[in-house]
Amino acid sequence: MGKRFSRAVPVAQTLMGSLLASASFSVVAQSEPFAAEALDWQPWGREEAATQLCRGRYVMPGYRLAAQDNPETLAAEATEADYDIDGQTILRGDVVLRRADQEVEAERVSMPPDRDRVNAEGNIALRDGTSLVRGHTAEIMLNEDRTQLDDSQFVLYDQHLRGQAVQLEQLEKDQYRLQDASFTTCDPGENTWQLVSSDIRLDQASGFGTARHARLEIKDVPVMYVPWVRFPIDDRRHTGLLTPAISVSGDGVDYTQPFYWNIAPNRDATITPRWMTDHGLLLNGEFRYLQDDIAGTVEAGYLNSDDGGSGGAEGRFARQDRWYFETQNTGRINPRSGYRLDYGAASDGRYFDDFGGEFGSSDRVSMERLAQVDYRGERWQLDARAQGFQRLDDPLNERNKPFYRLPSLTANARWQLGNGFYSQWRSNATYFWRDVNEQRVIEREAATGSRLHLTPAVGWRFERPWGYIEPRTELWHTDYQLDYGNRATENSESPSRSIAVTSVDSGLVFERELALGGRDYRQTLEPRLNYAFVPRTDQSDLPSFDSRERPFSWNQLWSAQRFSGADRVGDLNRLSLGVESRLLADETGRERLSVGVGQSVYFDERRIDIEGNADELPDRGTESRYKATRDRSPLVTQVDWQINDRWSTGYEWLYDDKRERTESSTVDLRYRHPQGHVVNLGYRWEIEDFNPGVEPSDDSFRNYDREEWDLSFAWKASPQIDLIGRYLHDQTNDRSLEQLAGVQWNDCCYGLQLVWREWVDDNGTARINDDFNDRGIFLRFVFRGLGGVGQNAGGFFEQAIPGYRPTPL
């Protein structure tokens, strides 16, 4: 039986503090390693192991001694306790000491009469709930904050990190030294990688450590040597170098080395030099701040004298300085009002294509400039802004330059009048400006000036579980004050327009219980009828600041607005008829199947197009003429089917039953597996000029019938292996638009990402004859707990493969 006694002696706290600090970064000595069980290692069970990256985990066993009421009390238990003639206390056998959350085990512990130090020997184990340290001998100087532990090994439970050191020494308070030390995050017995150093110094007060003559070993083979390195030893943000990124493609080597500057708890900056063999040295920087209800970022990049070309035009930007600047800032004025300040600019339209995109591409089309203040009340919503964009086209023609709103003021409100009646008020006043040569754009785009747009509305909605009806009248009144500059025009400089938009929307809902395949469902049948009337009003003398004609779709069946923006109101006298049926899972109400069919019947021609001329129709024989004079719309069919918990599909088909041809067809088939498998198959077809709002000067314009296939997948072959791929094919031009293949290997202590990609760069134009192919191979290697090298592809994978969530490296 062991003898038990308690005494308030500060033994364990100094030792555990030093061991925790060392464990949070590095250690592993050259002594014989302990068995996995001695490091508190617990293998996973058979079922758990099938879903885990590691073979097990580190778990602290329960405390052997009960906690004391006074956390400063030292509790001890030993098989034998002796006091020698000099007054020294000696504990032998299975010795256990506990103070607060810290517990020490040893075979022998001795303390001199003055209690100024503790000597422990034989199979030492120190635990505090977050870490374990083992060794053979330890000396603790209680009055000098000094500790020395020889032949130590340790484990940090939550970080899955283990290591060892020949000697661990506390030099003074919060200052520690480890000699011949190393660490790894690999499972016990598997040193796939480890960081080894002859001399590691830890400063717990500042949160930093330094290592001299450090080397990275893979399978005990040294692969990298660093004479001196500084690193963080806790979760505090610290100034220093971050993980570099290296990629190799057809354009050469791309190396990025970020530097993090921890300015203050609410401010930081990242400075990122980036060397590209085909361009030169690009210096990027980002500054972030957060103060109460204010937050913002400032980013910039600068490349002095580009060494190479851009895209398919070799040498196009040679010897030119290239740069970008962007800031985004938000804040709250009060609980109902906030503001936003953004500004972005770039030296040229291809800057982000060359430098800003993941894997050599970018989907940025513009950079915003915005100053905005808003108010959200119970009834009124107010917005005041000055807004503009830099269009990232190269070259950028005059027509594609966007308008600035300097300023734009909006006031909207809604009132419930009782018995289903309501009224709305929407209003906007905007001054539109852009810097163009008025002689080089068409007349309706040559004007700048102010626009006052008022749209009051009244309506009544009667709704019951079996159906609804909603008549509504909306007045569109617009006044302009225009300036055509040097452009000669007969258009009025102060035109106005007033149009009443009337619509009646109605629908019925029929339901029945239905049993299919042994399951209970609720099926609905929902016929819908919508009438809209917009009188024809000439708008040819009105400018075109922000209007585009919308392509036809299921939603357009029920909308009275043929155009976006406020400069055009399309004439319309039509009746839309449709029916939708839904299949709902009876127990949950979840929609399993939705099928809708609808068509519009026109009672008059639609003469208003983007030109706004009410007296003329497009030329005979053109597609535009046919769309303006047809007596009914395409037949629209829409299907959304959740086949089962894993498979789903969607389908939209626009069919011209007069010409007996398809105008547009979209099919998507999706597979989602609980383990993370993802498969997407998509098909898209549309006739030439299907979208009338896209003009030949736009990048998205295609002067041919468009047909594309899109296949993408991500397959988790095992908890360790993700396989991903994508193939996007342009059937019309018989070419691939994008090919992507990659593998991600996730192991307990390292990760690997290898991606090959080839894609078409459209060179910023709508023509296909100057498109060119680009390609690259991208590699990222990560040592878990240490960092990685390469470009992270996680964000790109999520965009390219809908539904995929890559395992974090």
Side-chain angles (χ1 to χ4, degrees):
M1 293 290 295
K3 182 184 292 185
R4 185 175 183 80
F5 60 93
S6 298
R7 181 177 298 173
V9 179
V11 173
Q13 185 160 347
T14 300
L15 178 60
M16 291 303 293
S18 65
L19 296 172
L20 257 178
S22 63
S24 54
F25 174 71
S26 45
V27 268
V28 173
Q30 305 304 319
S31 59
E32 186 70 22
F34 284 94
E37 298 78 15
L39 298 176
D40 295 345
W41 174 258
Q42 290 188 5
W44 293 111
R46 178 176 298 179
E47 293 184 1
E48 294 174 311
T51 62
Q52 299 294 328
L53 295 178
C54 302
R55 292 185 290 106
R57 58 178 177 167
Y58 300 105
V59 179
M60 177 181 170
Y63 288 100
R64 296 180 57 182
L65 300 182
Q68 304 298 302
D69 294 336
N70 182 358
E72 295 299 318
T73 299
L74 173 66
E77 182 177 284
T79 304
E80 300 178 8
D82 293 330
Y83 301 91
D84 64 14
I85 193 171
D86 298 326
Q88 180 174 244
T89 300
I90 301 175
L91 304 177
R92 297 189 183 88
D94 187 12
V95 182
V96 183
L97 307 176
R98 180 175 179 183
R99 177 171 164 174
D101 292 333
Q102 303 158 352
E103 190 172 77
V104 181
E105 299 177 2
E107 295 177 355
R108 184 178 187 277
V109 171
S110 63
M111 298 177 62
D114 56 7
R115 304 295 191 266
D116 62 345
R117 70 179 183 275
V118 172
N119 293 302
E121 300 176 4
N123 199 22
I124 299 170
L126 304 97
R127 299 181 177 91
D128 69 347
T130 62
S131 65
L132 161 70
V133 179
R134 285 193 172 275
H136 298 292
T137 62
E139 183 179 16
I140 308 168
M141 310 300 294
L142 301 179
N143 298 331
E144 302 179 22
D145 288 327
R146 291 181 56 207
T147 300
Q148 181 171 312
L149 188 70
D150 294 332
D151 294 331
S152 65
Q153 299 185 38
F154 75 90
V155 168
L156 197 61
Y157 298 126
D158 292 341
Q159 283 74 18
H160 200 89
L161 187 147
R162 63 180 173 85
Q164 47 185 323
V166 169
Q167 186 178 87
L168 185 154
E169 182 179 5
Q170 180 183 14
L171 305 176
E172 55 183 274
K173 183 176 176 59
D174 297 328
Q175 301 289 327
Y176 311 99
R177 179 183 182 185
L178 293 82
Q179 298 185 45
D180 296 329
S182 61
F183 79 90
T184 184
T185 56
C186 298
D187 290 340
E190 293 185 6
N191 284 355
T192 302
W193 70 267
Q194 62 179 348
L195 191 70
V196 181
S197 173
S198 62
D199 186 6
I200 296 176
R201 305 291 180 103
L202 305 173
D203 185 345
Q204 193 174 18
S206 67
F208 277 105
T210 60
R212 298 180 182 276
H213 303 295
R215 67 183 184 274
L216 176 66
E217 295 184 354
I218 298 180
K219 290 294 185 180
D220 298 325
V221 178
V223 297
M224 184 175 67
Y225 168 80
V226 181
W228 181 88
V229 64
R230 190 174 188 234
F231 51 85
I233 60 173
D234 55 27
D235 292 334
R236 287 177 287 179
R237 298 182 306 171
H238 297 288
T239 299
L241 297 176
L242 300 180
T243 303
I246 303 174
S247 64
V248 180
S249 67
D251 296 327
V253 178
D254 188 338
Y255 177 81
T256 302
Q257 178 57 72
F259 174 79
Y260 179 77
W261 182 14
N262 184 33
I263 303 172
N266 63 337
R267 297 188 302 276
D268 63 12
T270 304
I271 303 170
T272 310
R274 178 182 175 188
W275 173 258
M276 296 161 284
T277 55
D278 59 331
H279 290 285
L281 179 62
L282 172 65
L283 185 63
N284 289 315
E286 179 189 38
F287 170 73
R288 302 184 301 177
Y289 67 90
L290 176 64
Q291 182 70 41
D292 298 327
D293 291 332
I294 303 173
T297 62
V298 179
E299 301 178 20
Y302 181 75
L303 173 64
N304 181 39
S305 186
D306 193 343
D307 291 338
S310 170
E314 191 67 27
R316 183 173 182 181
F317 291 98
R319 312 273 73 84
Q320 293 187 25
D321 296 344
R322 304 184 70 183
W323 54 268
Y324 91 100
F325 175 84
E326 187 169 27
T327 179
Q328 298 179 342
N329 310 271
T330 60
R332 302 297 306 173
I333 301 173
N334 55 51
R336 291 188 178 274
S337 184
Y339 69 88
R340 180 178 168 187
L341 299 172
D342 296 346
Y343 182 83
S347 59
D348 56 81
R350 286 200 59 88
Y351 181 91
F352 292 98
D353 289 307
D354 291 341
F355 308 124
E358 293 179 303
F359 298 98
S361 66
S362 173
D363 57 1
R364 296 196 63 166
V365 297
S366 64
M367 300 191 73
E368 186 177 20
R369 294 92 185 262
L370 173 67
Q372 177 190 15
V373 178
D374 61 33
Y375 170 79
R376 296 292 179 265
E378 295 181 0
R379 176 167 296 164
W380 285 93
Q381 290 80 46
L382 308 178
D383 185 286
R385 65 178 61 190
Q387 186 179 29
F389 298 89
Q390 177 187 356
R391 183 83 176 260
L392 296 177
D393 288 354
D394 185 72
L396 177 63
N397 61 47
E398 296 286 289
R399 288 193 62 190
N400 285 340
K401 290 182 178 179
F403 282 95
Y404 280 68
R405 293 168 169 85
L406 302 173
S408 179
L409 308 175
T410 301
N412 298 330
R414 183 182 176 97
W415 295 268
Q416 294 294 338
L417 305 178
N419 297 320
F421 288 94
Y422 65 88
S423 64
Q424 286 182 331
W425 173 266
R426 291 187 298 167
S427 59
N428 175 265
T430 301
Y431 182 83
F432 292 92
W433 173 89
R434 66 174 175 172
D435 182 18
V436 297
N437 184 337
E438 298 89 353
Q439 308 296 331
R440 302 181 63 181
V441 295
I442 58 180
E443 187 176 40
R444 60 182 167 83
E445 296 183 358
T448 60
S450 61
R451 183 186 72 193
L452 175 64
H453 184 60
L454 308 175
T455 53
V458 293
W460 175 66
R461 185 174 179 89
F462 175 81
E463 188 168 13
R464 292 293 184 269
W466 47 264
Y468 70 94
I469 184 171
E470 182 178 6
R472 174 187 173 93
T473 297
E474 185 174 293
L475 174 66
W476 282 46
H477 177 77
T478 313
D479 281 313
Y480 294 87
Q481 292 295 326
L482 304 177
D483 181 4
Y484 283 88
N486 297 324
R487 179 67 174 261
T489 179
E490 296 180 359
N491 290 342
S492 171
E493 294 184 354
S494 55
S496 64
R497 175 199 60 198
S498 294
I499 302 178
V501 178
T502 303
S503 65
V504 180
D505 193 20
S506 60
L508 296 173
V509 179
F510 301 95
E511 293 185 356
R512 68 166 181 169
E513 303 301 321
L514 183 67
L516 289 175
R519 296 184 179 181
D520 294 329
Y521 296 95
R522 188 168 74 255
Q523 184 187 18
T524 70
L525 185 65
E526 304 171 42
R528 185 175 181 181
L529 191 67
N530 181 285
Y531 175 76
F533 177 75
V534 182
R536 184 176 303 147
T537 301
D538 188 79
Q539 300 163 61
S540 57
D541 60 345
L542 302 186
S544 178
F545 292 138
D546 59 2
S547 284
R548 290 288 183 95
E549 189 170 357
R550 292 170 171 166
F552 199 77
S553 66
W554 173 266
N555 292 332
Q556 281 299 105
L557 281 171
W558 323 112
S559 174
Q561 299 176 15
R562 292 172 43 220
F563 292 85
S564 62
D567 296 312
R568 294 290 180 270
V569 182
D571 54 326
L572 192 63
N573 186 8
R574 67 108 174 96
L575 180 68
S576 292
L577 307 95
V579 61
E580 185 176 11
S581 180
R582 295 183 296 153
L583 202 61
L584 309 176
D586 193 48
E587 66 278 6
T588 63
R590 181 183 178 186
E591 185 177 290
R592 306 296 298 192
L593 175 65
S594 174
V595 180
V597 180
Q599 190 172 34
S600 292
V601 177
Y602 300 113
F603 304 112
D604 205 348
E605 300 170 343
R606 290 142 320 277
R607 296 196 173 190
I608 300 299
D609 58 13
I610 197 64
E611 298 289 343
N613 194 324
D615 299 325
E616 296 181 2
L617 285 168
D619 294 337
R620 291 183 179 275
T622 64
E623 188 67 23
S624 299
R625 175 74 172 234
Y626 174 71
K627 290 181 179 179
T629 58
R630 65 197 303 177
D631 58 3
R632 58 185 183 269
S633 75
L635 189 68
V636 185
T637 301
Q638 180 173 272
V639 178
D640 191 359
W641 183 17
Q642 186 69 44
I643 303 172
N644 54 40
D645 292 339
R646 299 182 181 183
W647 287 94
S648 63
T649 184
Y651 176 61
E652 185 176 76
W653 180 38
L654 273 66
Y655 179 74
D656 186 344
D657 57 344
K658 183 176 181 179
R659 288 186 171 181
E660 298 183 349
R661 70 172 188 178
T662 297
E663 292 193 357
S664 173
S665 179
T666 302
V667 184
D668 293 299
L669 181 64
R670 302 172 292 271
Y671 176 77
R672 304 289 185 268
H673 192 280
Q675 295 182 1
H677 309 318
V678 172
V679 179
N680 302 288
L681 176 61
Y683 172 79
R684 178 183 179 184
W685 191 93
E686 62 183 34
I687 62 172
E688 181 182 347
D689 296 332
F690 172 76
N691 186 349
V694 178
E695 299 183 354
S697 60
D698 293 334
D699 290 351
S700 55
F701 175 78
R702 297 293 180 266
N703 59 347
Y704 48 79
D705 293 345
R706 187 174 186 174
E707 185 176 17
E708 291 179 358
W709 291 90
D710 192 352
L711 171 65
S712 63
F713 73 91
W715 200 264
K716 292 187 176 294
S718 70
Q720 292 77 26
I721 302 176
D722 289 3
L723 303 175
I724 61 102
R726 186 191 187 195
Y727 182 78
L728 177 60
H729 186 75
D730 178 0
Q731 185 76 17
T732 305
N733 298 293
D734 193 21
R735 61 174 183 169
S736 63
L737 298 177
E738 180 175 24
Q739 300 178 71
L740 172 72
V743 60
Q744 179 168 305
W745 175 275
N746 304 285
D747 190 76
C748 183
C749 60
Y750 70 92
L752 175 68
Q753 217 172 44
L754 179 63
V755 182
W756 169 81
R757 181 173 181 244
E758 180 176 314
W759 67 99
V760 171
D761 192 318
D762 66 4
N763 210 25
T765 72
R767 302 182 303 271
I768 66 171
N769 55 3
D770 61 353
D771 292 351
F772 62 93
N773 289 340
D774 205 347
R775 61 187 59 85
I777 297 178
F778 306 90
L779 174 66
R780 177 173 170 81
F781 197 92
V782 173
F783 302 102
R784 299 187 186 276
L786 183 62
V789 176
Q791 188 176 16
N792 190 358
F796 178 81
F797 288 166
E798 291 185 18
Q799 293 180 3
I801 308 172
Y804 175 52
R805 298 295 179 266
T807 304
L809 283 182

